[in-house]
Amino acid sequence: MSGRARGAAADDETLAHAAMVLATLIFGINYVVARWATGEVPAYTMGFARWTAGALVMLPFAWRRIANDRAWIERNWKALLLAGFLMPFLGAGLTYVALNYTNAVNGGVLQTSLPIFTIVLAWLFLRERIRTAQWAGAAVAIAGVLCIVARGRPEALLGLTLNIGDALLIVCNLGLAGYAITVRRMSPGGHPLTLLTLVCAIGAVIHLPLFAIETLSEEPFRPGWPAFVSLGFVAIFPSVVAILCWNHALARLGPSRAGFYMYLVPVFGAAIAIPALGEEVGLYHLVGAAAIVAGVTMSTRRPRG
């Protein structure tokens, strides 16, 4: 490989790392916004609005790409349907339901399961080799997250119990890990806009009957500032910007390396929730954040040789 080619590859990888940081930042904000809107926007209404708006926003830009990618879509239609179920519904939609039943401490602990699910599934289905540095980085990152959610008091972890919300978050993380593997296994050739638009559209269709049931049987949508801000945010950023960044990083870094960036979600979420909710910053936040960043760095660094 020439020096110019190596430089281009390094630049592409740097861009992939930056894309994953931006994606995790948006995912962290999404948790804060979703909790802020609890009681204002029903869970499946939030999910339906997110993926329907995402598909409509992307369609004008992706229409020609979708037509050109028809052969690729025909080859991968089963994987596309699976991806549309695993991420928009199982991975993201159920999160809005789970946040009605669980708290931030338990949710932060359970977030650490996603990279582990991802590297295990990558090992099972993609035969990716899991390096010792990745396991070590996972351990350091998990320690950092536990430090934050326990507020620097290890004994606080002994009081954690699983409720329906916690169980749903575990399922959500498994769905997100499965999405990463599914996207990686698709045959090459499809444009990112094609993938994202179809995934959003499939997610909207899956949410539609649940949205209808929710609208008819539960307390309806409450028009107001929290509702409109939250719906506007989820329609653009988590469903379009973050997923485009995530898909790019998955294609360049692979699921196991990209998955470790999800440890940054609790850090970004806490950094935003603290000023927004008036919480104080403690030493444990700084120690935990430093450990998480160190663990992600260890796990995502390209091996030499």
Side-chain angles (χ1 to χ4, degrees), residues 27-198:
F27 290 146
I29 298 173
N30 183 53
Y31 273 96
V32 177
V33 170
R35 291 186 63 82
W36 179 53
T38 299
E40 303 290 334
V41 183
Y44 293 119
T45 299
M46 179 84 78
F48 177 72
R50 172 179 176 176
W51 300 109
T52 301
L56 293 176
V57 167
M58 297 301 299
L59 189 58
F61 304 98
W63 182 258
R64 185 169 297 180
R65 299 288 186 181
I66 293 173
N68 293 338
D69 288 339
R70 181 176 177 180
W72 179 83
I73 294 171
E74 291 176 352
R75 290 196 307 271
N76 293 277
W77 67 271
K78 292 181 181 179
L80 287 168
L81 289 176
L82 180 59
F85 170 77
L86 287 175
M87 197 267 287
F89 178 72
L90 199 62
L94 285 185
T95 298
Y96 298 133
V97 179
L99 290 173
N100 287 289
Y101 300 100
T102 192
N103 55 47
V105 173
N106 288 30
V109 172
L110 294 173
Q111 182 70 49
T112 64
S113 66
L114 176 55
I116 303 302
F117 285 152
T118 302
I119 62 174
V120 170
L121 291 181
W123 175 70
L124 288 173
F125 293 101
L126 303 179
R127 300 303 180 189
E128 286 193 4
R129 178 174 172 267
I130 309 303
R131 297 178 289 111
T132 302
Q134 288 179 293
W135 290 115
V140 173
I142 288 173
V145 173
L146 294 179
C147 178
I148 291 175
V149 299
R151 297 180 177 273
R153 296 181 294 108
E155 65 275 11
L157 298 175
L158 300 177
L160 293 179
T161 58
L162 285 176
N163 57 29
I164 183 62
D166 301 325
L168 286 175
L169 283 176
I170 293 175
V171 174
C172 293
N173 288 336
L174 186 58
L176 291 173
Y179 170 81
I181 303 304
T182 301
V183 170
R184 184 70 169 179
R185 292 193 67 178
M186 289 184 188
S187 61
H191 193 274
L193 292 181
T194 299
L195 172 62
L196 178 58
T197 305
L198 293 179

Side-chain angles (χ1 to χ4, degrees), residues 200-240:
C200 286
I202 294 167
V205 171
I206 293 174
H207 275 86
L208 180 57
L210 296 169
F211 162 66
I213 294 172
E214 187 178 65
T215 301
L216 294 174
S217 62
E218 296 187 7
E219 190 171 353
F221 168 77
R222 296 179 180 178
W225 177 251
F228 289 123
V229 170
S230 60
L231 289 177
F233 173 80
V234 301
I236 301 298
F237 291 96
S239 54
V240 177

